[in-house]
Amino acid sequence: MTRYFLALICLCAFTFNLRAQEWKPAGGHIQTSWGEKLDYKKPLPEYPRPQLTRSSWKNLNGLWQYAIVPKTLEKQPQTMEGSILVPFAVESSLSGVGRTVGKDSLLWYTTQIEIPVSQRKGRVLLHFGAVDWQCTVFVNGQQAGIHEGGYDPFSFDITPLLSKNKMQSISVKVWDPTNDGPQPVGKQMVNAHGIWYTSVTGIWQTVWLEMVPTDYIIATRQTPDIDQEQLRLSVQLNNFSAGDQLKVSIGGEQAITKNVAGINTAFTIPIKNPKLWSPDSPYLYDLSIALVRKGKVADQVGTYFAMRKISSAKDVNGVKRILLNNKFQFQFGPLDQGWWPDGLYTAPTDEALRFDIDKTKELGFNMIRKHVKVEPARWYAHCDKIGMLVWQDMPNGDDGSNWEPRPGIDGLGTEMERTPASENIYRKEWSAIRNALYNFPSIVVWVPFNEAWGQFKTTEIAKWTAEEDASRLVNSASGGNFYDGGDILDLHNYPEPAMPSPKLFGEKYALVLGEFGGLGLPVNDHVWTPKENWGYQTFTNEEELFKRYDELVKRIPAMIKKGLSAAIYTQTTDVENETNGIFTYDRKILKMPEAKFRETNQALYNVPVAIH
């Protein structure tokens, strides 16, 4: 039996290597320069979890085998169809497949990996950055676990499922109904059109192994308090023994030793004269945490934190303002969809992932609204290091509300009535997303709903979101139906900038312009398709486009004086048939003159506002 199993493994490995040579990008759309130069043998090789680092890990990205079968066939197919480049979604060009799956089909993956016996002294964890949407994982033919959720990371302890041999088989079954189901989908749609884009199915973030001790640190939770000059730290363990201790050091210097009180231990660490994090000075503190047993380190992880505070308070005129570190900081940035012409949800490389943030900062913005999508952890770490404020949307799903974008209008906008199953899906994933992203200091605002898409129980959801994380503000419904709740009142208006009335709403809410602009310019040879390109207002050349942009942005200082706390311009890049990006979809062309663009933007930060 053992010889048969080894022969099967060898045959699979031979077939895998043979098919590996067949990989090439699929489809005929434009590509980024990073996609054109992609090394398919080492796709996205970087460590995927910068807020909890260990040295003992193995990247599993690369060429796997795939098959698409009818949903009625639940068992793994005996014959796979070809190679797919993980972690690019099956519909994407860089996957090498470029096929739609849909609600009536299942997507299967399989691969063979090597785990030497020397790496199994403790536990072996199999991690997935994100898989859209329902995912069942098998190791050596045995089920390791099931996960539902397209935007949150998850893992399984596969130690009991490993064979005595070096080679191990991993299979993944995925079902994703896209917009035919109630789950969060963001801008995905089976029939892409207008503001709705190509569907994304399956693995779309890094897959990796981690070797950990038998008892290990699962997670940490860092909450800064600049007023009290302290950091509240919570450490979660999978197990502990009597007498265990946690040793914490900041910047290489030992700060505190604490006795372990249980699988969750929380305590505060004084941070005297803290260096505050801001877009102008994104200072990060390195943090090392060790689990110590009988004087020896049983497990150790690295992470980081920042001392920063996001809050709101009234100005001298009685209008609520958003404050950063107890001072007014006007926040201005683009609506960032996070889509790629070759990778769809997945940036071709880490350099590409960082490019959008770097350029946003260079163009004079200090904030990004991450629009109905969640990025890999490395994206938020880049924002932390670069100094970029982030407003994080919940990806929408289960649409069914009537939209009334104007605040103060009753009788037109409605909340939808979700089924108990649909509501449970929303709550479970929104909580998981916020928990996974909690430690990234760049995130300052949570946005549960956008433009009434699937909006339900708004006041309750806003309160729940705030209760789970009191360290950030809540924008309960960006541009959507207004219900009492949250910290922010958010108006969308195209193309001209506008704001909610300070006299009517400013006493209770910080006022923001959640979307405006949408100025379009299609650039030949850099569009998704030759036809059907559009913007909210379309221009024919760079000069006309910038003239209009400059005109719109120069209206904003007067609004800041009245009470506007933030504004968001649509958008960072073109996306599929939308050509209202500052950059083309392939990121090869900046559509407006960089120096003038930056100068226009930076003038918004010079408007004086006195806080009461």
Side-chain angles (χ1 to χ4, degrees):
M1 189 68 178
T2 302
R3 291 180 179 177
Y4 173 78
F5 181 74
L6 288 172
L8 180 62
I9 292 292
C10 292
L11 178 61
C12 290
F14 173 78
T15 304
F16 178 81
N17 290 330
L18 180 64
R19 290 177 176 174
Q21 308 305 318
E22 300 173 0
W23 179 87
K24 64 179 181 179
H29 290 296
I30 55 174
Q31 287 193 321
T32 64
S33 57
W34 303 281
E36 291 168 347
K37 297 179 290 185
L38 180 70
D39 180 0
Y40 74 86
K41 296 179 181 179
K42 295 181 180 180
L44 296 170
E46 295 81 9
Y47 190 84
R49 192 184 59 194
Q51 273 284 5
L52 193 73
T53 62
R54 285 189 182 91
S55 60
S56 54
W57 74 289
K58 182 177 182 179
N59 194 306
L60 301 184
N61 292 342
L63 285 165
W64 293 32
Q65 296 297 293
Y66 86 95
I68 299 173
V69 300
K71 190 173 183 295
T72 53
L73 302 178
E74 287 290 330
K75 292 185 178 181
Q76 180 175 343
Q78 294 182 349
T79 303
M80 307 301 280
E81 296 183 47
S83 298
I84 182 170
L85 187 60
V86 170
F88 299 102
V90 67
E91 295 92 343
S92 72
S93 171
L94 293 181
S95 72
V97 180
R99 287 175 57 187
T100 300
V101 180
K103 64 181 177 62
D104 297 320
S105 298
L106 297 174
L107 170 63
W108 279 90
Y109 298 82
T110 186
T111 191
Q112 304 292 329
I113 63 171
E114 182 177 340
I115 308 178
V117 175
S118 61
Q119 296 180 358
R120 305 186 211 173
K121 295 179 180 179
R123 313 301 295 179
V124 179
L125 308 181
L126 175 59
H127 293 278
F128 294 83
V131 181
D132 195 7
W133 172 71
Q134 185 187 82
C135 169
T136 308
V137 177
F138 302 87
V139 175
N140 295 323
Q142 301 178 74
Q143 183 172 303
I146 300 174
H147 180 267
E148 291 183 346
Y151 300 93
D152 58 305
F154 61 96
S155 61
F156 300 117
D157 184 341
I158 63 172
T159 312
L161 307 180
L162 299 178
S163 73
K164 296 180 180 180
N165 305 295
K166 289 184 179 180
M167 300 303 296
Q168 314 292 327
S169 170
I170 296 177
S171 298
V172 178
K173 178 179 69 174
V174 176
W175 177 64
D176 179 20
T178 312
N179 56 295
D180 291 319
Q183 82 290 350
V185 294
K187 288 291 194 79
Q188 301 177 60
M189 188 166 286
V190 174
N191 298 311
H193 64 279
I195 65 169
W196 309 104
Y197 317 137
T198 303
S199 57
V200 172
T201 302
I203 298 170
W204 66 274
Q205 289 187 29
T206 291
V207 186
W208 55 294
L209 284 179
E210 184 178 29
M211 282 61 76
V212 299
T214 302
D215 297 342
Y216 61 94
I217 297 168
I218 296 176
T220 67
R221 195 173 177 91
Q222 292 98 247
T223 307
D225 185 340
I226 69 169
D227 298 323
Q228 299 299 318
E229 296 190 344
Q230 64 184 19
L231 176 76
R232 182 167 180 79
L233 176 64
S234 176
V235 180
Q236 181 184 1
L237 306 172
N238 80 310
N239 196 11
F240 71 100
S241 297
D244 283 356
Q245 293 181 315
L246 291 171
K247 285 192 175 181
V248 180
S249 62
I250 298 174
E253 299 180 2
Q254 183 172 320
I256 192 169
T257 299
K258 199 76 174 178
N259 292 329
V260 172
I263 58 171
N264 289 292
T265 300
F267 48 95
T268 58
I269 303 173
I271 310 293
K272 298 297 182 183
N273 302 313
K275 297 180 181 180
L276 301 185
W277 183 98
S278 71
D280 294 329
S281 180
Y283 186 84
L284 300 173
Y285 290 84
D286 290 327
L287 186 64
S288 177
I289 305 167
L291 172 64
V292 179
R293 178 170 295 160
K294 297 180 180 180
K296 295 183 179 181
V297 174
D299 188 26
Q300 185 167 350
V301 297
T303 182
Y304 64 87
F305 68 94
M307 296 299 290
R308 71 101 181 90
K309 176 184 178 182
I310 190 73
S311 60
S312 63
K314 292 181 180 179
D315 64 18
V316 293
N317 297 316
V319 178
K320 272 283 187 72
R321 301 281 190 159
I322 297 177
L323 307 183
L324 179 65
N325 300 329
N326 296 321
K327 298 179 181 179
F328 176 69
Q329 168 74 71
F330 185 73
Q331 298 185 28
F332 184 48
L335 191 76
D336 193 309
Q337 313 265 15
W339 285 73
W340 302 82
D342 38 21
L344 297 181
Y345 257 16
T346 310
T349 65
D350 192 66
E351 181 185 1
L353 189 72
R354 178 166 174 148
F355 174 88
D356 285 2
I357 310 167
D358 279 331
K359 290 301 178 182
T360 298
K361 188 73 177 288
E362 291 170 9
L363 289 171
F365 295 111
N366 66 0
M367 175 260 276
I368 291 171
R369 179 181 168 202
K370 180 50 60 177
H371 190 42
V372 296
K373 185 204 174 190
V374 179
E375 293 290 356
R378 292 188 63 86
W379 186 89
Y380 300 95
H382 290 321
C383 288
D384 293 342
K385 296 172 184 176
I386 293 167
M388 185 61 67
L389 300 165
V390 175
W391 292 26
Q392 179 61 55
D393 288 10
M394 169 62 175
N396 55 286
D398 205 2
D399 195 13
S401 308
N402 293 324
W403 181 32
E404 173 45 64
R406 298 168 296 176
I409 303 295
D410 289 332
L412 296 178
T414 62
E415 295 180 306
M416 75 170 297
E417 294 185 10
R418 293 201 180 205
T419 65
S422 173
E423 179 173 342
N424 181 63
I425 288 171
Y426 176 94
R427 288 181 179 272
K428 181 180 178 182
E429 190 152 5
W430 184 220
S431 185
I433 288 168
R434 288 180 286 115
N435 184 62
L437 300 181
Y438 184 90
N439 285 338
F440 294 105
S442 52
I443 301 175
V444 293
V445 175
W446 298 122
V447 187
F449 299 112
N450 177 76
E451 293 187 353
W453 299 341
Q455 186 175 340
F456 76 105
K457 296 184 179 179
T458 312
T459 301
E460 181 181 331
I461 294 297
K463 181 181 179 182
W464 167 61
T465 300
E467 288 174 346
E468 284 203 343
D469 183 3
S471 70
R472 294 178 170 92
L473 301 182
V474 177
N475 182 3
S476 60
S478 181
N481 301 332
F482 175 68
Y483 290 86
D484 193 29
D487 306 288
I488 293 169
L489 182 58
D490 179 324
L491 175 69
H492 294 182
N493 198 75
Y494 285 99
E496 291 86 0
M499 66 180 291
S501 169
K503 294 181 180 179
L504 296 177
F505 306 107
E507 184 176 355
K508 191 171 184 179
Y509 300 99
L511 308 175
V512 309
L513 173 58
E515 293 182 26
F516 82 103
L519 305 181
L521 175 63
V523 179
N524 290 338
D525 301 323
H526 298 277
V527 292
W528 180 251
T529 57
K531 300 179 180 179
E532 300 178 359
N533 297 303
W534 67 279
Y536 289 93
Q537 187 175 3
T538 301
F539 300 86
T540 58
N541 58 64
E542 176 184 300
E543 291 75 18
E544 290 180 355
L545 178 65
F546 176 72
K547 181 180 179 181
R548 180 60 167 157
Y549 178 85
D550 185 61
E551 175 192 332
L552 295 184
V553 174
K554 283 181 176 176
R555 298 183 192 179
I556 295 178
M559 297 179 185
I560 299 174
K561 293 178 182 178
K562 291 180 180 179
L564 191 69
S565 281
I568 296 161
Y569 176 79
T570 301
Q571 60 188 344
T572 307
T573 72
D574 296 347
V575 184
E576 300 201 357
N577 292 330
E578 287 187 51
T579 55
N580 48 27
I582 300 166
F583 284 88
T584 54
Y585 197 13
D586 56 15
R587 277 74 167 172
K588 293 179 179 178
I589 304 293
L590 172 62
K591 298 183 187 179
M592 289 181 267
E594 183 171 348
K596 291 181 179 180
F597 190 91
R598 180 171 54 250
E599 182 180 0
T600 294
N601 293 343
Q602 290 181 329
L604 300 183
Y605 309 126
N606 300 325
V607 181
V609 173
I611 301 302
H612 182 68

